[in-house]
Amino acid sequence: MRDPECIFCKIIAGEIPSNTIYEDEAFKVILDLAPAAKGHALILPKEHYADIYEIDEEVAGRAMKLAKKLAIHMTKVLGCDGFNILQNNREVAGQTVFHFHMHLIPRYKAAKNNDILVWNHETFSAEEMAEIRDALKCD
């Protein structure tokens, strides 16, 4: 399945050039055009899924295995000090391209934007936490 309006589908099809660092039958991994750090890359499934809610479970699992493989490789090659693997779903969560993708972001101690993923923590009472826990319990 492919979305003819999707920029990532166009990149996967070769209609738009990219800096590809890995490709197999199911995924294409490209350098991000607006990187948060040196080496910031995107894992793109070749099939179009809008987000985590749509992606096939097997494909999602394979994406995570690929993320681990590439994080290890990129850490060795780039000499980074840490790593973020980030995946946003829906606009409110920061998703801007509605084709499932995973960000691979190498982190360096001396980088200028190391606080990019910092958020203000919320506080909940013990009762609220118990209510949330009970509501979220899953089989």
Side-chain angles (χ1 to χ4, degrees):
M1 184 171 70
R2 181 170 180 261
D3 180 344
E5 302 303 315
C6 172
I7 190 167
F8 287 167
C9 285
K10 290 177 182 181
I11 289 170
I12 291 162
E15 297 169 20
I16 297 173
S18 65
N19 290 300
T20 302
I21 64 168
Y22 176 88
E23 187 166 7
D24 63 21
E25 72 286 345
F27 299 97
K28 186 169 195 155
V29 182
I30 64 171
L31 292 179
D32 194 308
L33 285 177
K38 177 183 175 183
H40 181 170
L42 303 173
I43 296 177
L44 310 175
K46 290 187 174 179
E47 292 292 318
H48 182 87
Y49 306 97
D51 51 33
I52 194 77
Y53 304 103
E54 287 188 8
I55 193 167
D56 177 82
E57 286 183 9
E58 183 177 320
V59 176
R62 290 179 63 199
M64 192 61 180
K65 286 181 182 179
L66 179 56
K68 179 182 177 176
K69 173 183 175 174
L70 290 170
I72 292 167
H73 173 73
M74 293 167 75
T75 298
K76 287 178 187 173
V77 171
L78 297 170
C80 58
D81 302 300
F83 218 90
N84 289 118
I85 298 173
L86 179 66
Q87 201 280 309
N88 302 321
N89 296 283
R90 299 186 178 160
E91 189 174 352
V92 70
Q95 187 177 11
T96 58
V97 178
F98 297 93
H99 180 119
F100 178 94
H101 58 287
M102 295 177 74
H103 293 262
L104 303 174
I105 308 172
R107 294 300 186 172
Y108 306 89
K109 288 179 183 173
K112 63 182 177 182
N113 64 349
N114 279 338
D115 62 349
I116 194 166
L117 296 178
V118 175
W119 56 80
N120 295 319
H121 296 273
E122 295 203 30
T123 304
F124 298 96
S125 69
E127 295 80 18
E128 289 171 317
M129 290 295 282
E131 184 179 310
I132 294 165
R133 177 202 62 219
D134 292 346
L136 291 176
K137 282 190 178 179
C138 184
D139 297 332

